[in-house]
Amino acid sequence: ESATECALPDRAVRSKVDGKLYAMDLKTTGMYISANWERSFEHSQQVAMQLDVLEATLGEGVEGFILDAINVRAVATGGTNLVRYGPLVYSDALRRELRQHRERLAVRANELQDAPQTALKAPSACVRYNDLCPYFDLCHADPEDGDALVQIGLERGKLEERE
């Protein structure tokens, strides 16, 4: 954990093959576990943060990531869909790239807290798990009304001003 990020790795394991440490995580999903789904963990911010947190906590390098996955729909219907994928090696260059991206996102998040009306509209991100984004009304308002909506949000306690 740091001032800007937190990760909760499930566990760290040491390989009997190469003696190196790996983060290992159990994922449950309702989606079919396909090769593409597995491969999405080869370039993952969540994985990179877990590696950084484990290294800081354990005081030694962590080579990469091993994924255990369970398809809960298959299990619930009596089938099995259990997968182990990895180990996935995360190079220093990949981790540096992902860390720099997280740093840019943190800067942008702070900017948005100060000026939420400057958020870029991303219609595909408006609904997640059947909940609307908290900025839905602000994003979908006429751009000329943005400042007024921020003021209303402040007055109603839905937004708070930062110093």
Side-chain angles (χ1 to χ4, degrees):
E1 182 175 349
S2 72
T4 58
E5 11 184 82
C6 177
L8 297 170
D10 285 348
R11 59 202 171 280
V13 295
R14 188 170 305 279
S15 170
K16 291 181 180 179
V17 175
D18 62 17
K20 296 180 180 178
L21 276 177
Y22 291 87
M24 187 177 236
D25 211 9
L26 172 64
K27 298 289 183 193
T28 58
T29 180
M31 297 173 20
Y32 178 72
I33 300 174
S34 66
N36 286 337
W37 185 84
E38 293 172 351
R39 291 203 62 217
S40 71
F41 291 91
E42 294 174 12
H43 192 270
S44 164
Q45 281 292 10
Q46 181 182 16
V47 169
M49 285 188 346
Q50 289 183 10
L51 300 179
D52 288 350
V53 165
L54 282 172
E55 282 185 351
T57 303
L58 300 174
E60 68 176 288
V62 179
E63 182 73 8
F65 180 75
I66 300 170
L67 168 69
D68 284 338
I70 300 172
N71 179 309
V72 292
R73 288 186 183 154
V75 172
T77 59
T80 59
N81 196 357
L82 309 173
V83 172
R84 173 161 290 162
Y85 187 64
L88 308 173
V89 175
Y90 269 60
S91 70
D92 290 339
L94 173 60
R95 291 178 63 189
R96 187 171 40 257
E97 174 188 75
L98 292 169
R99 197 175 295 118
Q100 289 168 348
H101 184 254
R102 289 195 312 271
E103 289 167 359
R104 288 190 301 271
L105 289 174
V107 167
R108 182 64 180 140
N110 286 328
E111 291 170 354
L112 288 172
Q113 286 183 340
D114 293 335
Q117 70 275 18
T118 65
L120 297 175
K121 296 180 180 181
S124 62
C126 295
V127 178
R128 185 169 185 200
Y129 303 113
N130 295 325
D131 283 333
L132 286 177
C133 168
Y135 296 102
F136 182 84
D137 292 330
L138 186 60
C139 286
H140 287 79
D142 189 292
E144 293 178 359
D145 296 331
D147 289 336
L149 285 172
V150 169
Q151 188 58 42
I152 291 169
L154 290 168
E155 290 170 1
R156 293 184 178 171
K158 293 189 178 216
L159 299 174
E160 65 180 59
E161 210 162 344
R162 289 182 60 195
E163 295 177 24

